[in-house]
Amino acid sequence: MASILLVEDEEKLRELVKFWLERAGYRCSDAANGRTALRLFYEMHPDLVLLDLALPEMDGWQLCERIREVSQTPIIMLTATGEEASKVRGLQMGADDYVTKPFGFPELLARVEAVLRRTGHPRSGVAGQPLDVYRYGELVLDVQAHRATLAGAEIKLTPIEFRLLAFLMQHPGQLLTHRQILEGVWGETYVGDIDSLRIYIRSLRKKLESESGPDYIATEHGLGYRFLPRPR
Ligand code: CA
């Protein structure tokens, strides 16, 4: 089972998150400040770091930087509401994802699982391997058959829309930056063409999401998109 280093100076939150993580089957060590966190990081070589931004002594940025100097261990930032600039900075500095406070445990767990899965620590056997069929809610995408259905009815997708949807469904729950999507779907030469991406996302949404039905694609403003494995 994966090990997690939790860095959070608010005692109550730290204890609660640790309790949740251990109950979900993770090994969890915790630190209340950056110095202890770094010491524990070198000692335990965690599979993932949950990192609060506002910490005494050494803040989350500095800690993230120190960790990135020596390792690619995935980092999820815990940020406060409205810290859009912080999120961008965190991702630029090498954080893998972020969770905004206040958060519920299902959300945190989904992010932890998604990050561990893509960095090669699957919780269940098939994760990390490309699948032939992706199924979330009423949406099913069959890669081999090149076919997508919603509640059993076929959705007519253009080749690019199909690749875009496949890329999103292959990364459930994960924040995908504009750059990652453009690279993954179009290839490196198209990076920067965020306007085209917006147009394709809009047309994909029209086909997937009716006015009354659930949303499958969440917009992360200024950052990118996230496919919702549990549509809302
Ligand atoms: Ca704090």
Side-chain angles (χ1 to χ4, degrees):
M1 194 43 78
S3 61
I4 296 175
L5 173 60
L6 166 67
V7 191
E8 169 62 68
D9 61 320
E10 286 165 61
E11 193 181 348
K12 278 192 180 148
L13 182 61
R14 190 175 68 243
E15 284 177 356
L16 184 63
V17 171
K18 185 175 158 72
F19 170 78
W20 281 339
L21 290 171
E22 287 178 343
R23 211 174 54 167
Y26 292 103
R27 279 188 292 127
C28 179
S29 297
D30 61 300
N33 61 61
R35 203 171 310 209
T36 313
L38 262 189
R39 186 175 52 77
L40 281 175
F41 180 82
Y42 289 119
E43 277 175 22
M44 70 182 281
H45 303 288
D47 296 312
L48 182 140
V49 181
L50 278 176
L51 182 54
D52 180 32
L53 259 190
L55 290 168
E57 295 171 40
M58 188 188 298
D59 67 22
W61 304 128
Q62 292 170 289
L63 198 52
C64 183
E65 210 166 35
R66 296 287 293 275
I67 291 174
R68 276 290 165 270
E69 282 169 9
V70 295
S71 119
Q72 285 304 310
T73 303
I75 298 172
I76 299 179
M77 292 273 193
L78 306 175
T79 66
T81 322
E83 290 183 329
E84 289 301 325
S86 304
K87 290 167 194 168
V88 176
R89 188 172 161 203
L91 294 168
Q92 282 169 347
M93 288 185 67
D96 294 82
D97 203 351
Y98 66 88
V99 179
T100 309
K101 294 178 185 179
F103 49 80
F105 190 57
E107 185 194 358
L108 181 68
L109 192 61
R111 301 290 174 84
V112 165
E113 283 175 359
V115 168
L116 284 174
R117 203 181 301 128
R118 81 173 194 268
T119 51
H121 288 90
R123 289 207 68 200
S124 55
V126 291
Q129 295 268 80
L131 301 172
D132 287 341
V133 179
Y134 294 85
R135 196 183 305 268
Y136 294 103
E138 295 198 292
L139 182 61
V140 181
L141 182 116
D142 187 329
V143 178
Q144 292 279 319
H146 214 268
R147 189 166 186 267
T149 58
L150 186 64
E154 181 161 6
I155 317 166
K156 295 262 176 258
L157 297 174
T158 66
I160 283 186
E161 286 168 353
F162 187 89
R163 266 160 51 202
L164 177 57
L165 181 60
F167 188 75
L168 293 170
M169 290 181 82
Q170 281 158 2
H171 301 85
Q174 181 183 326
L175 166 67
L176 296 166
T177 62
H178 298 124
R179 169 179 269 275
Q180 285 170 326
I181 299 174
L182 287 163
E183 275 184 10
V185 178
W186 282 270
E188 280 180 23
T189 36
Y190 290 86
V191 165
D193 197 0
I194 295 177
D195 287 335
S196 316
L197 175 58
R198 286 206 181 97
I199 293 167
Y200 281 107
I201 289 276
R202 197 179 308 145
S203 89
L204 197 52
R205 275 185 168 140
K206 265 193 198 150
K207 296 180 181 183
L208 298 184
E209 302 169 354
S210 66
E211 268 175 45
S212 55
D215 290 345
Y216 284 93
I217 302 167
T219 302
E220 298 280 349
H221 289 288
L223 298 173
Y225 300 93
R226 190 188 297 275
F227 181 80
L228 303 171
R230 266 159 283 179
R232 59 188 182 217

